[in-house]
Amino acid sequence: MNIVILAAGMGKRMQSSLPKVLHPLAGKSLLGHVVDTARSLSPAKLCVIYGHGGDAVPQAFADQGLSFAKQEPQLGTGHAVMQALPHIEDGAPTLVLYGDVPLTTGASLQRLMAAAGNDKLAVLTVTLDDPTGYGRIVRENGKIVAIVEQKDANEAQRAIREINTGIIAAPTAKLRKWLAALSNNNAQGEYYLTDVIAAAVADGVEVVSAQPDDLAETLGVNSKVQLAELERVYQLGVARRLLEAGVGLADPARIDVRGALECGRDVAIDVNCVFEGKVDIADGASIGPNCVIRNATIGAGANIKAFTHIEDAVVGAGAQVGPYARLRPGTELASDVHVGNFVEVKNSIVGVGSKANHLAYVGDADVGSGVNIGAGTITCNYDGANKFRTIIEDDAFIGSDTQLVAPVRVGKGATIGAGTTLTKDAPAGQLTLSRAKQLSLAGWQRPVKIKK
């Protein structure tokens, strides 16, 4: 098939300099959702019609192998599809989608294409309790004979509750003919794509319909209000699927998935968590409230406590992270690791059972198993120009308020005394410390505030 996606609208009600179709829904642009769905149908040709926003739309999808055609000026949906005609092939039917209608599923579109076959015109329709503002599906003896826009409809037609979603599938060669014959003699002075229905009827081409699985699949975005409403529709759908798969959600209305979230059995997720990119959570893991997790793997039985941020990291089975911890890109925690409150780990590997429970920075480090990192410890990994690694071998004990000036190695079983600034390797099994001599000054008087 050919697929044409209409994405040229200005979106005045969005009150934004960003083209409407590039606004994000669940971490992906509106148009990105439509393109991904279109690609799932394996079209021979996929053409996006753009207009307002200059080249912002083609630039946003520059590396995705799409065809683009510019609609300028914008003279209606029929005129928009005309711009795609040089990019599509007559030997296959054409499916027309909309860049601001992001939730249409591949299954519903396949149903529409099946109804159209190779020689029919198929329209995706829905029935609404209040159809105000939508084009009405006009039938005679059960067969579709026309679509009439709200502004052009008479009183009897406005009472019709079956409406046009705008999504159609048509034989391409005939579509070219019908588009060439369109007129803009209507209330808007535009070339309506919907007028091809009457042209098809006049040509003796059967017009059929199909319906989506859910009304939400046909909802478009014209304002920030509608965008926010559709975001909640999307997220509630995600939450429902997670619940059905056995995930425990403290509140299905307070979770945001902006990518792909895969969960094992008996996973528990508290409120206000955000998952971005690709996140995998294994059996029995728990995620506390207000966590942000991006492109991460969480092992079985791990406990991610409140207000933790994890990005491009791996958390091992049974590990405990947080509250208020941050795992930055390149972090790999082995099983049973403890990373406590206000601890930041970056580009580091931390071995089995090691702990950094309080107020520490571990960056560019290889930490063995059974290591204890005391409060206030930092790896000084950056000299202002280059990054260097710190190596802490198994069973080492790093006292509180220690600075490990990389590159440096702490040997197996070594102990670093509290307050040490380590600039040379610490031998295995020994106590290493560096401190100024402690002094007590007899007769010293604390300053007092001078009265004015």
Side-chain angles (χ1 to χ4, degrees), residues 8 49-52 54 69-75 79-80 83:
I49 310 302
Y50 72 101
H52 285 288
K70 190 170 186 178
Q71 184 193 21
E72 192 175 34
Q74 282 76 45
L75 300 176
H79 178 257
Q83 312 314 305

Side-chain angles (χ1 to χ4, degrees), residues 157 211 273 362 395 423:
Q157 291 168 337
Q211 288 70 44
C273 290
V362 180
D395 300 317
T423 58

Side-chain angles (χ1 to χ4, degrees), residues 60-131:
F61 293 84
D63 58 347
Q64 298 195 26
L66 304 175
S67 296
F68 290 93
K70 190 170 186 178
Q71 184 193 21
E72 192 175 34
Q74 282 76 45
L75 300 176
T77 52
H79 178 257
V81 178
M82 291 178 197
Q83 312 314 305
L85 294 179
H87 301 271
I88 59 179
E89 300 175 347
D90 284 359
T94 294
L95 173 65
V96 179
L97 304 176
Y98 294 81
D100 59 357
V101 182
L103 302 187
T104 315
T105 65
S108 294
L109 295 177
Q110 286 175 332
R111 191 178 307 127
L112 182 71
M113 295 302 297
N118 292 318
D119 56 358
K120 301 183 185 68
L121 192 155
V123 183
L124 194 70
T125 72
V126 292
T127 300
L128 302 178
D129 292 334
D130 180 7

